[in-house]
């Protein structure tokens, strides 16, 4: 009999096969308040981090066709920013496993007039149904640490990218500025779950989110994982004292 594989769900050790269901429960619970919570938790900083991601995506301002896949794209925040920065040929496919996050995203797209440029599709980052080499760019923002089998998602991102395409991943990282690290830990573990409780009624969901950040590999290790998936010229830059890292890799 094959040995059971375990992984972490926040601080808990759980069977690998159970993690996705637990993650889905978290985002199902917070979907309607997700965007408000992002602003409250980060003091609006998530906007600057996402702007840095969009600058790296660099969608063409002209009518040239540009197809972006935003994995774990949730309520469409990154997608909307990319189409607003790009020209008439910019199209974004938001792929997320969670139907509730997607339906909030579709409502937001209608409100902002992005129905034509942004498509919302349900899918698992670990097993994408898109053909090989179909996107110019693949992004994933604050999503990869929630995916149970990260190597599979990276391999899929590589498969669906065109040759010359770029993979960009924005994710929480580890604060290594003396003094700021303690403050960040205090804020993450003591304050965020309380805000989560007050705003969404789900303290556990935000406890998971904070714990999952602490479990995510350090930037150098994650960069090696990106290389392991076949990406070249892999690099990363940390922002806000290490609170987040923006990783980049090319399919060459
Ligand atoms: C923290 S949210 C990020 C949403 C969005 N990218 C943003 O930056 O606002 C994480 C998202 O990952 C999605 N997710 C988790 N596991 C996934 C998987 N295996 N495949 C695709 N999406 C997944 C969740 O449903 C959730 O919408």
């Amino acid at each position: 009999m094959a040995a059971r594989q375990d992984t972490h769900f926040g601080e808990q050790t759980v069977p690998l096969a159970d993690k996705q269901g637990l993650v889905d429960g978290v985002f199902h619970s917070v979907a309607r308040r997700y965007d408000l919570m992002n602003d409250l938790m980060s003091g609006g900083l998530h906007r600057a981090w996402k702007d840095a991601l969009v600058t790296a995506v660099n969608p063409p301002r002209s009518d040239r066709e540009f197809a972006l896949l935003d994995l774990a794209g949730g309520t469409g925040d990154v997608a909307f920013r990319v189409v607003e920065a790009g020209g008439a040929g910019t199209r974004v496919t938001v792929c997320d496993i969670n139907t509730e996050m997607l339906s909030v995203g579709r409502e937001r797209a209608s409100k902002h007039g992005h129905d034509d440029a942004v498509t919302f599709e349900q899918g698992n980052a670990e097993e994408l149904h898109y053909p090989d080499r179909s996107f110019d760019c693949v992004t994933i923002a604050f999503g990869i640490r929630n995916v149970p089998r990260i190597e599979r998602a990276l391999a899929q991102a590589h498969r669906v990218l065109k040759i010359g395409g770029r993979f960009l991943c924005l994710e929480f990282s580890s604060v290594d500025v003396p003094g700021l690290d303690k403050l960040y830990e205090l804020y993450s573990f003591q304050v965020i779950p309380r805000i989560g409780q007050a705003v969404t009624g789900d303290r556990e969901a935000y406890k998971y989110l904070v714990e999952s950040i602490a479990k995510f590999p350090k930037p150098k290790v994650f960069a090696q994982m990106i290389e392991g998936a076949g990406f070249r010229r892999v690099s990363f830059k940390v922002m806000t004292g290490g609170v987040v890292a923006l990783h980049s890799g090319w399919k060459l």
Side-chain angles (χ1 to χ4, degrees), residues 99-119:
T99 51
E100 194 58 29
M101 293 290 278
L102 290 168
S103 75
V104 174
R106 286 190 191 101
E107 287 165 23
R108 294 179 79 208
S110 293
K111 215 158 104 189
H112 297 296
H114 292 318
D115 288 311
D116 292 339
V118 182
T119 312

Side-chain angles (χ1 to χ4, degrees), residues 20 38-39 56 92 96 98 116 135 137 148 157 165 176 179 230 241 249:
Q20 189 69 64
N38 274 352
D39 272 329
V92 181
D96 197 286
N98 195 297
D116 292 339
F135 294 96
C137 185
D176 50 13

Side-chain angles (χ1 to χ4, degrees), residues 20 23 27 34 50 72-74 96-98 101 123-125 141-142 146:
Q20 189 69 64
V23 168
F27 289 103
Y34 175 77
K50 285 172 180 164
D96 197 286
I97 204 162
N98 195 297
M101 293 290 278
N124 186 341
F142 307 115
N146 298 293

Side-chain angles (χ1 to χ4, degrees), residues 86-97:
T90 299
R91 293 281 175 276
V92 181
T93 303
V94 173
C95 172
D96 197 286
I97 204 162

Side-chain angles (χ1 to χ4, degrees), residues 222-234:
F222 185 53
Q224 284 165 0
M225 291 171 74
I226 295 174
E227 270 170 357
F231 289 100
R232 297 289 168 258
R233 287 165 53 197
V234 173

Side-chain angles (χ1 to χ4, degrees), residues 34-35 38 46-47 50 54 70 73-82 94 108 120:
Y34 175 77
D35 294 294
N38 274 352
H46 75 109
R47 293 165 184 263
K50 285 172 180 164
V54 174
D70 186 34
T75 60
D77 229 22
V78 168
F80 304 151
R81 284 163 203 273
V82 171
V94 173
R108 294 179 79 208
F120 289 85

Side-chain angles (χ1 to χ4, degrees), residues 7-235:
T7 188
H8 47 79
F9 173 71
E11 295 286 342
Q12 300 171 48
T13 299
V14 298
L16 183 58
D18 291 359
K19 174 162 172 168
Q20 189 69 64
L22 293 164
V23 168
D24 293 350
V26 166
F27 289 103
H28 193 80
S29 160
V30 304
R32 296 267 145 206
R33 291 287 168 119
Y34 175 77
D35 294 294
L36 172 65
M37 269 304 287
N38 274 352
D39 272 329
L40 292 176
M41 281 187 314
S42 72
L45 270 175
H46 75 109
R47 293 165 184 263
W49 299 326
K50 285 172 180 164
D51 283 347
L53 169 64
V54 174
T55 301
V57 170
N58 192 22
R61 310 286 186 275
S62 65
D63 291 355
R64 183 160 63 80
E65 282 187 15
F66 180 78
L68 177 113
L69 174 64
D70 186 34
L71 286 174
T75 60
D77 229 22
V78 168
F80 304 151
R81 284 163 203 273
V82 171
V83 295
E84 281 161 18
T90 299
R91 293 281 175 276
V92 181
T93 303
V94 173
C95 172
D96 197 286
I97 204 162
N98 195 297
T99 51
E100 194 58 29
M101 293 290 278
L102 290 168
S103 75
V104 174
R106 286 190 191 101
E107 287 165 23
R108 294 179 79 208
S110 293
K111 215 158 104 189
H112 297 296
H114 292 318
D115 288 311
D116 292 339
V118 182
T119 312
F120 289 85
E121 293 177 358
Q122 191 188 13
N124 186 341
E126 292 180 4
E127 38 193 312
L128 297 176
H129 55 269
Y130 307 106
D132 295 356
R133 297 186 290 280
S134 38
F135 294 96
D136 298 288
C137 185
V138 174
T139 51
I140 181 162
F142 307 115
I144 197 82
R145 73 180 192 284
N146 298 293
V147 174
R149 300 167 190 85
I150 291 175
E151 287 86 353
R152 284 194 196 173
L154 294 174
Q156 286 289 303
H158 188 268
R159 181 183 68 74
V160 301
L161 263 178
K162 295 178 188 172
I163 307 288
R166 191 175 192 186
F167 171 71
L168 288 158
C169 175
L170 189 62
E171 189 51 272
F172 288 107
S173 192
S174 40
V175 174
D176 50 13
V177 178
L180 185 63
D181 51 357
K182 290 277 163 278
L183 203 66
Y184 180 66
E185 196 181 306
L186 200 74
Y187 179 71
S188 302
F189 285 90
Q190 301 302 326
V191 181
I192 289 181
R194 287 191 171 90
I195 306 179
Q197 170 65 38
V199 176
T200 69
D202 191 342
R203 185 193 181 100
E204 287 305 306
Y206 281 90
K207 190 166 164 278
Y208 157 71
L209 289 177
V210 168
E211 289 172 356
S212 64
I213 293 169
K215 291 278 178 202
F216 193 69
K218 297 254 185 293
K220 275 190 187 153
V221 175
F222 185 53
Q224 284 165 0
M225 291 171 74
I226 295 174
E227 270 170 357
F231 289 100
R232 297 289 168 258
R233 287 165 53 197
V234 173
S235 62

